[in-house]
Structures are given as structure tokens and as C-alpha cells.
Amino acid sequence: MKILQVLLFLFTLCTAAQAPLTVTVRDAANNAPLPYATVKSNGKNYVADIDGKLSLTDYATSFTVTYTGYDAQTISIKHHTTHYAILLKIKPELLGEIIISRQNPATEIIGKAIRRRPVNDPQQHLNSYRYKSYDRLVVTADPDSVQSRIDTILAYEKAGRFIEKIDSAVFKFKKIVSRQHLYQTEKISEFLYDKKQGLKENVLATRMAGFKKPLYEFIGLKLQSYSIYTDDIDLFENKYAGPLARDAFFEYNYKLLDTISINNRPTYMIYFDAKRRLKRKLRGVLYIDCETYGIAKAILRVKNVIDITSVHYFEYEEEQKLWFPIKKTLKITKGNNKEDIRILGETIKFDAVDSKDPNRKKEPSDYVYLYSEAHNFDMEFNTPVTIYRRVVDIEIKDNAVNRPDEYWQRFRPDSLDTRSLTTYMALDSLVAKDNWEQRIIWGRRVINGYIPAGAVDIDLRQIFKYNNYEGFRVGFGGITNNKLSQIFRVSGYGAYGTKDGAFKYSGGMALRLGRFSNSWVGASFTDDIREIGSTSFATDKRTFKIYDPRPFNLTTFYNYQTWQGYIETRIIPKTDSYWQLTRSRIDPKFNYVFMQGQKPYTVFDLVMASVSIQWNPFSDFMQTPDGRVESEKRFPRFAFQYTQAVSGVLGSDFNFGKFDFRAEFQHKFLNGQITSGLLQTGIASGDVPITHLYSTSPNSLLKDGILQRITISGRNSFETMYFNEFFSSEYVTLQLKHGFTRFTLYKSLKLSPMLVTRFAWGNLSNKDAHLGFAYNTLDRGYYESGIELNEIFKGLGITGFYRYGPYQLPHFDKNVSVKVSYVLNLF
């Protein structure tokens, strides 16, 4: 018995010694948290977080809490007490060792740091540099923090004992995270910088749990800023005002907390916080070298919908007189939010938190966090650097996905632990079992309108259609993929309209000229029909629509028989471009005569040359073994297209030019709200038949009654404008949208409200040239506004719009449009 008591006593001591202490530091006057307070224990300094909280694992019999402008407190550790709430009292003295003339010493320190950015920023101070980096990202949870019990326990009351059922979700979750992480990726990169060429990342090795071939879009995500010296700080796909921006004093308040030593150099510890709480700003701490005023360490924090902490570590390079980044960490946890949050395509999902409910039970997502850590090594400064293929910001080498274990071991700072190794084995097995990799490949193709079938991708858009001219249209088409060849492709389709009784078909082939630029030269012939007045950019990506409402009530089509030669390429930086030369025979399939002078035309020939360019100047691009992708989509984005028809060449009848322009804008908020805008305009001059004019995307059927006009809503169409109602030779449209955060209406019913308003103006020159066809112009301006309630249930939603202004119709119901919306979520 005595031996058992001794063992229990020793076990109690071990448990007590290993148990972490939770320290919370607050202001004694108002109970407000003191962010980044300093806690000294066992001869080491520890820094609390932005809420004044700290978990202390290395301690003796006491610890001391200090904060600038407050009296220090030394706390004796009590047996069985693991939480300490410390209240500090204000004192009037400032740091004695710092003598600065201004009232707020932090202001002068930050001012010097801003003025010395050109000296301390590595990208401004150095002519060139290179280094390698090992980056690891995990989605995980600390098993020791998960409070769990078994499914049932025996509970006692005065009336006797009974079985109390406990939710086992947390218990099962703890078993999983004790064995493995929820998600894991690794990456080894080489960063090259030249002052003239900029910065480029070459990915030497990459590995993603569960996938033989990584999802390159995830690799290209920039979760935190590369530099701390920029005016704007990127943090989890959002921009914030930088604490060292040129106008930082208008955005932030600064406070000197302490002086500490980093790399045996004294640094000021300065806390910064936003002046205006409603604006999207950061909070955090900057450690600024007392001599050079360079950043020795930076802690950036965002805490609202999600809790983000980004830490930048630097090492002082004596020869360069410069603090250079050596490590970055990022931690994302659940914040105070009432709505679901999805990160990395639902790789990590946080459920709702209601701070008003003190009895809310803990859910597994309360413990989940995303953690990323990058270590830099093998630094070289001011040595000649050659950057190849600078048109892309990230380039993944062809052998990066097939590196052996020995290669990884050479660059990992530490060997993978048991949980990490188990994660790879478990997720590799899970993804293979559920065939997720093939499902993702399949889903990507479906979004673009194809179904993979061996060496051929079947074109979904050609299988079945309906319009009022052809009736039911059935057909089959496809295009060869990389399984057949990576240097040439063959495409084509055939279709038959049950109402017009005519066959339509197309065939073509293309040859790849350059893999890096993805340049193709091709030729095709097409005999088909098209809606009149339609406007599209040749560089627009194909999207698959289960149902296209536009041609449902149309009879105004034209047949075109077109020979085409084209070149598509990405050789111009940040662009997709499409260059084509066509000869077409145009046959309008409705009552229409086009007058050129005194000569009428019912059928005509056109020879046209056109160039279309999609330019995304602020986006980042990544070159992968499968091709180039837009790794970071930024706005604004621009599209240009010019078309020139030439008369007298190969029998061409008309001479005219068309210029089209589109600008897209978007701003995402951290709480999930999105504001977007679309500006589009076109000008056509010369002898332009109505087939090639503009109809500004109408999407309302010519039927009586609101219910009879219900169809599928368009993406950017005018929902209250009737087909063939307006035509223009020059026009401009403006669309503004604001989407609110998604919320639950009832159980599985959720709403994503979006307010929308649209405007259009147009004019038509040479009106008398178009005979046999009735239409209006838009010279007085067209207006509509409404609301979209998207994804209410399983992708389905509803929209409602109202038409007003000069073109408002006399009957109220004619101005109202109700549509069904649908969002296709494949995974």
C-alpha cells in the first residue's frame, strides 16, 4: 500500500509539472486585455497574444508580468492552480533607457522605420538574392486540448443511477487527431530575385496528402505576404493597410511596450492597432532594431470571423547590414462568427459560433486549426541571378511531383513525426478508395463542358439543346486530349434540329507550337446557326450550362458557313490572346433585308480579321506540368476585342469595324461579403448588318404573365429585357452587385442574398438600312434592379428584378421578372 501511495504521489507531481499554465493579463482599471504583455519565467521572456493570453509550459515557482506604463507583478505558482488572471495597474513612467523627445516614443520609432524602408527592405536594399525554402501546411488539432468522453456514462441522482448519453462526435474526433492530421502538404522551393526582373518561385518538390498529382491551385495560394515592408499586406486572400505603409499614421496607433534582444541586438517592441475599427486593419507587434530600424520580427493578427496570426522571423546579416527573412508561420482558427466558414475548398470547415449562447457544446471544428510554417536556408546575396521565364510568378518543375524520400530528407528541418507519416498513408488510402483524384479531374472537365472518355473529351453542349427555331437539337461532339497527343488535337461535332430539319456540323484540328506559352495554330470549318446580335469574346472560357434560356424563345438566327484559321497563345505576359481570320457566308433565317446604299442584301459574304485579348495585369500566374494557371486571381481584369471586315477580298460584301471592351472589378471582405462590378461597351462603325450589331444580353421571354416568363437566370444578362427588344451600334452597360454573407434560414435551407442593379445605354446609326425587322434603341437609358437568393437548397435559388426608368412598361407585371438560379457544385 505504501508503495502504491508513493507511486501515486510521484504521478501527481509529474502531472502537475507537465500541466501548462494559462495566464491572462488585463488592465486593472477597465479589465481590458493588455496585448502582447511580457511574461518572464525561468530566465526566459514570453509574449502574450493580442488578447493578453499566454500558455506557459516552462516555469519554476513563480513568473513576472510586465507591460509598458504598468507596474510589474511577480506571481507565485500555487499547487493545483493552472489559470492566472493578472490585473496590472498603470504607472506614469516610461522606459528609462529610451530617451526620445516626442510625447509618444513609438511614433518617432515607426517614422524612422518607414523612412528607412529603402535601406531595410531586402527587395530594395539588395540587387539580387536567392534562397531555398521548405514549407509545410497542416490542418490539424491538438489532441490534448480536445475534451472528450465515451458515448455513455453512469450518472447518479437522489432517485438512483441512470445512463446519460453523451454525443460521441468529439470523442471520435479526438481519436482521429491523436493518430493523424486532417490534411497535409509539403513544398520545397527556390526563390530568385533580381531588382530588374523581380521575384520568382521555382517549385523543386511538392507533395499533397492523398494525391499522386497535386492540386496545383492550392500550391499557388499565397496565404500571407512575402514582405512586411509593402503598403498593402496580403493575409489569407485579403489586403490590409501595412503597419509600415507611407500613410500608416492615418491608419494605426502605436505604443512602445518594451525593449528585448533578438540575435544579440536590442530591438523596440511596438504594438500597433487600427484607429478606425470599422475598416479592415491589422493588429500586432513590430520588433524594430534600435540601430538600423529594420524589422527583426513581426506579428500580424486579424481576429473576427476567423482568427489569423501571421509571424515573420528575420535574422541579421552582418555583412549586408540587413535583417533577412528566415521563417514564416501562419495559424488560422475559428473566430467569433455565426456562419459556416470554408477554407481551401472545404479542406477545413468551421461551423457556426454563437457567442450569446454560453451553454453551446464544443464541436470538432472548435479545435481545428490550419498551421503553415516555412523555413528559408542557403541564402546568397548580391550574386548574379538568372531568372528564366519571368512571365510566370511560380513555376513547378516537371519532376517536382516525383521526388524520392531521400530528396525530402535533405531539405526538411526535422524528420516527420508519426502523426505526419500516418497522415500521408491514411489520406493516400482514403483518396484512392473514394477515387477523389479522378473525380476532381472529371469535375474540372465538366465545368468546361466536357466528360472525359479515354483519349477524347465528349462535348456536353452538343448532346441536347432546344430553341424555337431548331426545336429539339440532338448531336454529338468532342475533342482529343493529352492521352492521345500533347502536340496536336482534333475536334468536331454534328447535330440535327428536329424543327428546321437541317444538319449542323463542325470539324477542325490544331498543332501546338509552344508548350510554355501554350501556343496553338489551327483551322476549322463550321456550318451552324447563331443568335443575332450576340456579343462574346473569343478568349472567354467555356462554361457548362445545364439549361441555356437565351435561345428558348428566339426565332432570329442566322446560318453561317465559316472557314477559320487561328492562333491562340499566352506568349504575351498576363494575357490570353486569340488571333483569327475567317471567311463566312451569312444567311439570316428571318425576314430581314440589309440596304447598302441602293443595293439590298438578304444573304452576304464576310471576310473578317479579329484579335481578342484577355488581360489580367494584377493576377499571378503559375506554370505547371499540365500548363499555365492563374494562381492568384486579382481585379480589375480587362478584355479587348477588335474585328475588321474587309470588302472586295475573297468576295466579301461589307466593310466595317467593331471594338469591344470589358472591365471586371471585385472586392472580397473577410466576413464573406463580395462587391463586384462589370463595365462593358462596344462600338461598331461602317456597313454593319443587324446580325453583327449588339443586343446587350436580354433574358426575358415574350410571354404574358410573370409565371410564364420564369426561366433560368443568366450570369450578367438583363432579366427584364425582352429578346430582340433593343439593338445598338454602340452601347455601354454597367452592373453592380453586393453579396451578403450566407446564412441559414431553416435547417438545410440557406440564403446568399445579392443586391443587383444594372444600367444600359445605346444608340443605332444608319437605322434605315435595316428593313423587315422591328426594334428599339437604348438612347434614353435602361434600368433594372433586384435581388438574387442563390443556393437556397442544393444549388437552387430564385431571383427577382424590376424594370424602371424611361423604358418602364405601362403594365406592372411586364416590368417584373422572376427566375430560377442554379449553381453547380461538383465537390
Side-chain angles (χ1 to χ4, degrees), residues 51 63 106 151 233 249 272 379 417 430 456 586 621 749-750 811:
D51 302 312
F63 60 88
D151 291 59
I233 296 293
F249 289 117
F272 65 92
M379 275 81 78
D417 58 16
L430 178 63
V456 177
I586 307 298
F621 291 86
L749 294 179
K750 299 184 178 182
H811 299 286

Side-chain angles (χ1 to χ4, degrees), residues 218-486:
F218 286 176
I219 295 174
L221 286 176
K222 293 184 179 178
L223 300 181
Q224 56 184 327
S225 251
Y226 178 81
S227 173
I228 195 68
Y229 289 98
T230 53
D231 287 341
D232 294 322
I233 296 293
D234 292 316
L235 198 56
F236 199 62
E237 299 182 297
N238 287 275
K239 286 189 178 295
Y240 300 85
L244 291 181
R246 293 178 179 84
D247 58 350
F249 289 117
F250 293 100
E251 309 291 353
Y252 295 107
N253 292 312
Y254 298 90
K255 181 178 182 180
L256 183 61
L257 299 182
D258 207 342
T259 56
I260 66 171
S261 177
I262 299 179
N263 285 178
N264 297 318
R265 295 182 63 86
T267 63
Y268 301 117
M269 183 179 175
I270 296 181
Y271 171 68
F272 65 92
D273 196 2
K275 286 185 175 181
R276 294 176 289 277
R277 296 289 184 179
L278 295 179
K279 297 190 71 176
R280 295 167 61 247
K281 302 292 190 306
L282 300 169
R283 288 182 284 175
V285 171
L286 299 177
Y287 297 79
I288 300 178
D289 189 296
C290 294
E291 178 185 347
T292 68
Y293 293 91
I295 302 297
K297 183 180 177 181
I299 303 174
L300 311 177
R301 184 77 178 272
V302 174
K303 185 177 181 181
N304 43 28
V305 179
I306 51 179
D307 194 342
I308 305 175
T309 302
S310 172
V311 185
H312 295 245
Y313 299 87
F314 299 79
E315 187 175 75
Y316 190 71
E317 299 289 338
E318 187 67 41
E319 185 176 342
Q320 307 297 330
K321 304 297 181 184
L322 178 74
W323 288 91
F324 195 81
I326 59 168
K327 180 181 174 182
K328 283 194 301 185
T329 65
L330 178 73
K331 187 174 183 180
I332 302 175
T333 61
K334 179 189 294 186
N336 182 20
N337 181 45
K338 296 182 180 180
E339 296 305 317
D340 292 352
I341 307 166
R342 294 170 174 81
I343 300 175
L344 300 180
E346 295 192 22
T347 300
I348 173 173
K349 178 180 175 181
F350 296 146
D351 73 341
V353 174
D354 189 351
S355 59
K356 296 181 181 179
D357 182 9
N359 299 317
R360 176 186 177 274
K361 294 182 179 180
K362 287 268 189 178
E363 298 289 341
S365 66
D366 293 324
Y367 306 100
V368 174
Y369 63 88
L370 180 149
Y371 182 76
S372 173
E373 185 171 297
H375 296 265
N376 302 336
F377 54 93
D378 291 350
M379 275 81 78
E380 297 179 17
F381 307 108
N382 288 328
T383 58
V385 172
T386 303
I387 301 178
Y388 298 100
R389 297 174 173 177
R390 185 58 193 92
V391 294
V392 292
D393 301 274
I394 304 172
E395 184 173 355
I396 301 176
K397 301 301 182 181
D398 290 345
N399 57 353
V401 298
N402 299 314
R403 296 292 190 182
D405 290 338
E406 306 85 66
Y407 187 89
W408 287 100
Q409 293 298 337
R410 284 167 47 197
F411 295 104
R412 287 185 181 124
D414 300 300
S415 299
L416 295 181
D417 58 16
T418 303
R419 289 177 72 198
S420 299
L421 293 173
T422 305
T423 303
Y424 278 125
M425 292 185 291
L427 291 184
D428 288 350
S429 175
L430 178 63
V431 172
K433 177 183 176 182
D434 294 337
N435 203 24
W436 270 105
E437 194 161 8
Q438 288 302 315
R439 289 170 66 181
I440 290 175
I441 293 173
W442 183 88
R444 285 173 173 167
R445 300 279 179 84
V446 169
I447 289 175
N448 292 323
Y450 295 102
I451 291 181
V456 177
D457 292 343
I458 299 173
D459 194 340
L460 290 172
R461 300 195 307 175
Q462 301 300 333
I463 295 176
F464 182 82
K465 292 182 181 180
Y466 179 85
N467 61 65
N468 207 39
Y469 175 77
E470 293 178 288
F472 291 102
R473 170 177 168 143
V474 293
F476 182 82
I479 184 171
T480 59
N481 55 40
N482 290 343
K483 289 186 177 180
L484 179 66
S485 174
Q486 294 188 357

